[in-house]
Amino acid sequence: MPDNTIASSESADRIVCRRLVGRTAVITGAGSGIGLAAARRLASEGAHVVCGDIDEPTGKAAAKEVGGIFVPVDVTGADQVEALFKAAQDTYGSVDIAFNNAGISPPEDDSILETSLEAWKRVQEVNLTSVYLCCKAALPYMRRQRRGSIINTASFVALMGAATSQISYTASKGGVLAMSRELGVQFAREGIRVNALCPGPVNTPLLKELFAKDPERAARRLVHIPVGRFAEATEIAAAVAFLASDDASFVNAAEFVVDGGISGAYVTPL
Ligand SMILES: NC(=O)c1ccc[n+]([C@@H]2O[C@H](COP(=O)([O-])OP(=O)(O)OC[C@H]3O[C@@H](n4cnc5c(N)ncnc54)[C@H](O)[C@@H]3O)[C@@H](O)[C@H]2O)c1
């Protein structure tokens, strides 16, 4: 990594904002990565956090750490998703924030030339159909309350093409973007905001391991990032907290890009 990079803000760990006191947040994929960082951040801002994950040990650990509840869920199942949002309502009395974040990027999803129909469908189910199911389950509660913030995790790859393709992943995130925009427009006058979050590449344990094994692969990506490094999950979580809060009261149907400038760049600094 070049030594002229902008360091990540350490302030995310020392935040004293309390913008979400009394709000209930449902987070899918709360056991790891961006979801876990968001669970910590939303809880630190005062929210009750409902941690949904298919992985029981990590989901439970997240819920315990943030003083929330764990609900086991496979986000591709309508009944399970409905039960997740019902658990939030039954336990805390409202559903104010839905961070629909669970997603996968398996190695079988690759160039269109190699990706099987089965691999394509699996990624569409987990990354796109799940967001449809979560929004469908959250909206009735939010419409009754006449208040709510839905944040759907898309990606910067929904905005740009990559020669290192994961074809179904990219298409699924494009779908998340279009669906979020449409829902944001449809429900705006009922006090509900729907935004798509577009993170750049995040420094997750998986990514670290992959790039430690294959530094050329990391270098090929880092050269396109004006900031000169990958994001920390806490930096994405900070954007989630903003979108969830009333500070974002006029941010709706947006493509909320948190990518260190990747999508704005032509030539990056040496
Ligand atoms: N990491 C990145 O660089 C990056 C960049 C842009 C967008 N994203 C998106 O951010 C989201 C979170 O990514 P991450 O890097 O934190 O991933 P992660 O793998 O660290 O965490 C994903 C979580 O989702 C859970 N999950 C997977 N399938 C599930 C299912 N069917 N039902 C319920 N839970 C399930 C996993 O158990 C895991 O806890 C994803 O939608 C991903 O596509 C990630």
Side-chain angles (χ1 to χ4, degrees), residues 141-148 189-192:
Y141 297 107
M142 294 180 171
R143 292 185 74 202
R144 273 200 294 277
Q145 296 162 192
R146 298 195 71 78
R147 181 174 84 180
R189 296 193 187 180
E190 298 185 51
I192 300 165

mmCIF file of all heavy atoms in Angstrom, residues 141-148 189-192:
data_model
loop_
_atom_site.group_PDB
_atom_site.id
_atom_site.type_symbol
_atom_site.label_atom_id
_atom_site.label_comp_id
_atom_site.label_asym_id
_atom_site.label_seq_id
_atom_site.Cartn_x
_atom_site.Cartn_y
_atom_site.Cartn_z
ATOM 1 N N TYR A 141 -45.212 -2.891 8.818
ATOM 2 C CA TYR A 141 -44.980 -2.293 10.147
ATOM 3 C C TYR A 141 -44.681 -0.803 9.988
ATOM 4 O O TYR A 141 -45.206 0.035 10.724
ATOM 5 C CB TYR A 141 -43.792 -2.973 10.849
ATOM 6 C CG TYR A 141 -44.009 -4.439 11.121
ATOM 7 C CD1 TYR A 141 -43.338 -5.405 10.386
ATOM 8 C CD2 TYR A 141 -44.885 -4.850 12.122
ATOM 9 C CE1 TYR A 141 -43.536 -6.758 10.633
ATOM 10 C CE2 TYR A 141 -45.090 -6.206 12.366
ATOM 11 C CZ TYR A 141 -44.415 -7.148 11.614
ATOM 12 O OH TYR A 141 -44.620 -8.484 11.856
ATOM 13 N N MET A 142 -43.830 -0.482 9.042
ATOM 14 C CA MET A 142 -43.422 0.918 8.843
ATOM 15 C C MET A 142 -44.593 1.763 8.361
ATOM 16 O O MET A 142 -44.734 2.926 8.745
ATOM 17 C CB MET A 142 -42.255 0.980 7.859
ATOM 18 C CG MET A 142 -40.991 0.336 8.410
ATOM 19 S SD MET A 142 -39.624 0.411 7.245
ATOM 20 C CE MET A 142 -38.272 -0.165 8.280
ATOM 21 N N ARG A 143 -45.450 1.197 7.527
ATOM 22 C CA ARG A 143 -46.614 1.952 7.027
ATOM 23 C C ARG A 143 -47.566 2.259 8.186
ATOM 24 O O ARG A 143 -48.112 3.352 8.285
ATOM 25 C CB ARG A 143 -47.335 1.155 5.945
ATOM 26 C CG ARG A 143 -46.501 1.014 4.682
ATOM 27 C CD ARG A 143 -47.279 0.330 3.595
ATOM 28 N NE ARG A 143 -48.284 1.219 3.033
ATOM 29 C CZ ARG A 143 -49.371 0.821 2.385
ATOM 30 N NH1 ARG A 143 -49.603 -0.470 2.217
ATOM 31 N NH2 ARG A 143 -50.223 1.691 1.917
ATOM 32 N N ARG A 144 -47.747 1.298 9.088
ATOM 33 C CA ARG A 144 -48.617 1.535 10.256
ATOM 34 C C ARG A 144 -48.049 2.635 11.138
ATOM 35 O O ARG A 144 -48.779 3.461 11.669
ATOM 36 C CB ARG A 144 -48.779 0.242 11.064
ATOM 37 C CG ARG A 144 -49.909 -0.644 10.571
ATOM 38 C CD ARG A 144 -50.374 -1.639 11.624
ATOM 39 N NE ARG A 144 -49.359 -2.627 11.965
ATOM 40 C CZ ARG A 144 -49.146 -3.737 11.255
ATOM 41 N NH1 ARG A 144 -49.877 -4.011 10.194
ATOM 42 N NH2 ARG A 144 -48.222 -4.593 11.622
ATOM 43 N N GLN A 145 -46.731 2.622 11.304
ATOM 44 C CA GLN A 145 -46.066 3.627 12.161
ATOM 45 C C GLN A 145 -45.955 4.985 11.461
ATOM 46 O O GLN A 145 -45.695 5.988 12.098
ATOM 47 C CB GLN A 145 -44.624 3.188 12.463
ATOM 48 C CG GLN A 145 -44.477 1.934 13.264
ATOM 49 C CD GLN A 145 -43.064 1.324 13.138
ATOM 50 O OE1 GLN A 145 -42.850 0.212 13.543
ATOM 51 N NE2 GLN A 145 -42.108 2.037 12.555
ATOM 52 N N ARG A 146 -46.060 4.960 10.122
ATOM 53 C CA ARG A 146 -45.779 6.113 9.261
ATOM 54 C C ARG A 146 -44.349 6.620 9.498
ATOM 55 O O ARG A 146 -44.082 7.810 9.505
ATOM 56 C CB ARG A 146 -46.819 7.229 9.420
ATOM 57 C CG ARG A 146 -48.211 6.769 9.026
ATOM 58 C CD ARG A 146 -49.188 7.899 8.833
ATOM 59 N NE ARG A 146 -48.930 8.692 7.634
ATOM 60 C CZ ARG A 146 -49.247 8.330 6.392
ATOM 61 N NH1 ARG A 146 -49.826 7.168 6.175
ATOM 62 N NH2 ARG A 146 -48.984 9.130 5.371
ATOM 63 N N ARG A 147 -43.456 5.654 9.677
ATOM 64 C CA ARG A 147 -42.050 5.991 9.865
ATOM 65 C C ARG A 147 -41.187 4.756 9.578
ATOM 66 O O ARG A 147 -41.565 3.646 9.971
ATOM 67 C CB ARG A 147 -41.811 6.409 11.315
ATOM 68 C CG ARG A 147 -40.365 6.797 11.598
ATOM 69 C CD ARG A 147 -40.187 7.330 12.993
ATOM 70 N NE ARG A 147 -40.018 6.254 13.964
ATOM 71 C CZ ARG A 147 -39.849 6.448 15.263
ATOM 72 N NH1 ARG A 147 -39.870 7.677 15.749
ATOM 73 N NH2 ARG A 147 -39.686 5.442 16.086
ATOM 74 N N GLY A 148 -40.077 4.979 8.924
ATOM 75 C CA GLY A 148 -39.148 3.865 8.734
ATOM 76 C C GLY A 148 -38.014 4.224 7.799
ATOM 77 O O GLY A 148 -38.132 5.106 6.951
ATOM 78 N N ARG A 189 -44.271 9.332 0.760
ATOM 79 C CA ARG A 189 -45.279 10.168 1.458
ATOM 80 C C ARG A 189 -45.899 9.462 2.648
ATOM 81 O O ARG A 189 -46.793 10.011 3.308
ATOM 82 C CB ARG A 189 -46.334 10.637 0.459
ATOM 83 C CG ARG A 189 -45.662 11.537 -0.568
ATOM 84 C CD ARG A 189 -46.592 12.319 -1.423
ATOM 85 N NE ARG A 189 -45.779 12.993 -2.467
ATOM 86 C CZ ARG A 189 -46.256 13.773 -3.395
ATOM 87 N NH1 ARG A 189 -47.548 14.012 -3.455
ATOM 88 N NH2 ARG A 189 -45.461 14.335 -4.277
ATOM 89 N N GLU A 190 -45.420 8.248 2.924
ATOM 90 C CA GLU A 190 -45.856 7.551 4.137
ATOM 91 C C GLU A 190 -44.775 7.592 5.214
ATOM 92 O O GLU A 190 -44.819 6.841 6.190
ATOM 93 C CB GLU A 190 -46.221 6.103 3.796
ATOM 94 C CG GLU A 190 -47.382 6.024 2.821
ATOM 95 C CD GLU A 190 -47.827 4.589 2.571
ATOM 96 O OE1 GLU A 190 -48.063 3.854 3.534
ATOM 97 O OE2 GLU A 190 -47.921 4.219 1.387
ATOM 98 N N GLY A 191 -43.788 8.452 5.027
ATOM 99 C CA GLY A 191 -42.744 8.624 6.048
ATOM 100 C C GLY A 191 -41.664 7.560 6.010
ATOM 101 O O GLY A 191 -40.900 7.395 6.968
ATOM 102 N N ILE A 192 -41.610 6.837 4.894
ATOM 103 C CA ILE A 192 -40.632 5.745 4.793
ATOM 104 C C ILE A 192 -39.580 6.112 3.744
ATOM 105 O O ILE A 192 -39.926 6.513 2.628
ATOM 106 C CB ILE A 192 -41.330 4.423 4.390
ATOM 107 C CG1 ILE A 192 -42.383 4.053 5.441
ATOM 108 C CG2 ILE A 192 -40.305 3.290 4.223
ATOM 109 C CD1 ILE A 192 -43.373 2.987 4.987
#
